[in-house]
Amino acid sequence: MMPSVCDPRGQPSAWVARFAPLVARGGAVLDVACGGGRHTRLFHGRGHPVTAVDIDLRGLADLADQPGVTLLQADLEGEVPVDLGGAYAGIVVTNYLHRPLLPRLPTLLAAGGVLLYETFAQGNQRHGRPSSPAFLLRTGELLALARDAGLQVVAFEQGEIALPRAAVVQRLAAVRPMPAPDLEGEPEPRPLPHA
Ligand SMILES: C[S@@+](CC[C@H](N)C(=O)[O-])C[C@H]1O[C@@H](n2cnc3c(N)ncnc32)[C@H](O)[C@@H]1O
C-alpha cells in the first residue's frame, strides 16, 4: 500500500481542476484510490455522478448517502480484479500508483472519455516519500501508457515542483479519441483549458 501523503479535506489538484472541464457534462467519473475524496467532491460539485473507490473510505463518510456518489470499498491490489464498471467520461487518479492497474484504465473510458493522472515520479526519493520505485513513475511512463492505449494526449508534464511541497511528479490529461470524419481520421482537437 502506498504511504498516505494526502490531506483528506485538501484542495483539488490544480492539474485535475484545470482539465476537469474536458470531461463531458454530466458524464460518469471514476475516482481511483480516492482518499478523502477531494476529486470526488470536485466532480460531484460539477454535476457528475462519481464512483469513488478506495480500500479505506473513512474519509468519505459524509458522502455515504449523497445522491450521485457511489462508494466502492475495494482492494485495488488484490489478486482478483475489482469490477470498476466502465464507459466513464472521466477517470481521475492522483497520488496513487499500482502499475498492474495502469493498462486497465483506458479500457474503462467511453469514447471521448478523459484520463487525468498525477502522481510522484522517479527523483522524488530525494524529497522523501514515496521513495520506492513501485510507487514512482518512470520517465515518460504516462505518455507511454497513452501511446500504447491509443489515447490522444492533451497535456503532459514531468518534473520537479516546489509547492505544495518539493516533489517530482508526472501529470497526464488524455482522451480516448473520437475520430473526426472531416480530419482524415485524426481525432477531434480538444479545447485547452487555461493554466
Ligand atoms: C496518497 S492517497 C491519495 C488519495 C487521493 N487520490 C488524493 O490525491 O487525495 C493514496 C490512497 O490510495 C489508497 N490505497 C492504497 N492502497 C490501496 C489499495 N490496495 N486499494 C485501494 N486503495 C488503496 C489509500 O487508502 C489512499 O486513500
Side-chain angles (χ1 to χ4, degrees):
M1 185 185 297
M2 185 165 170
S4 178
V5 293
C6 316
D7 169 4
R9 294 299 167 124
Q11 292 296 305
S13 143
W15 184 258
V16 173
R18 178 182 172 199
F19 291 101
L22 290 184
V23 180
R25 187 172 303 189
V29 170
L30 176 66
D31 187 358
V32 176
C34 59
R38 58 191 176 131
H39 300 122
T40 296
R41 296 170 203 277
L42 171 75
F43 283 102
H44 185 251
R46 292 178 61 87
H48 298 275
V50 183
T51 298
V53 58
D54 202 289
I55 199 167
D56 177 359
L57 291 173
R58 285 174 296 177
L60 294 91
D62 59 307
L63 296 180
D65 298 320
Q66 188 74 40
V69 177
T70 303
L71 301 184
L72 178 57
Q73 192 273 324
D75 181 358
L76 291 164
E77 300 169 22
E79 283 182 16
V80 180
V82 177
D83 181 358
L84 294 170
Y88 287 103
I91 298 177
V92 58
V93 193
T94 57
N95 298 344
Y96 179 74
L97 176 63
H98 176 56
R99 270 199 177 81
L101 195 59
L102 287 180
R104 215 180 139 200
L105 297 174
T107 71
L108 302 178
L109 288 171
V114 183
L115 175 62
L116 300 177
Y117 209 128
E118 175 183 61
T119 196
F120 302 95
Q122 276 293 346
N124 190 69
Q125 57 270 44
R126 294 194 200 110
H127 300 295
R129 298 172 74 194
S131 57
S132 163
F135 301 138
L136 300 176
L137 288 162
R138 295 185 282 264
T139 301
E141 190 167 0
L142 290 179
L143 262 189
L145 171 70
R147 181 198 61 218
D148 294 348
L151 300 185
Q152 175 191 6
V153 174
V154 176
F156 172 77
E157 288 184 354
Q158 62 185 358
E160 197 158 41
I161 58 169
L163 296 171
R165 66 170 176 81
V168 177
V169 299
Q170 203 174 116
R171 302 163 165 151
L172 176 78
V175 179
R176 187 167 167 194
M178 285 189 292
D182 58 339
L183 295 179
E184 297 168 353
E186 285 292 303
E188 192 70 52
R190 308 294 295 202
L192 284 172
H194 291 297

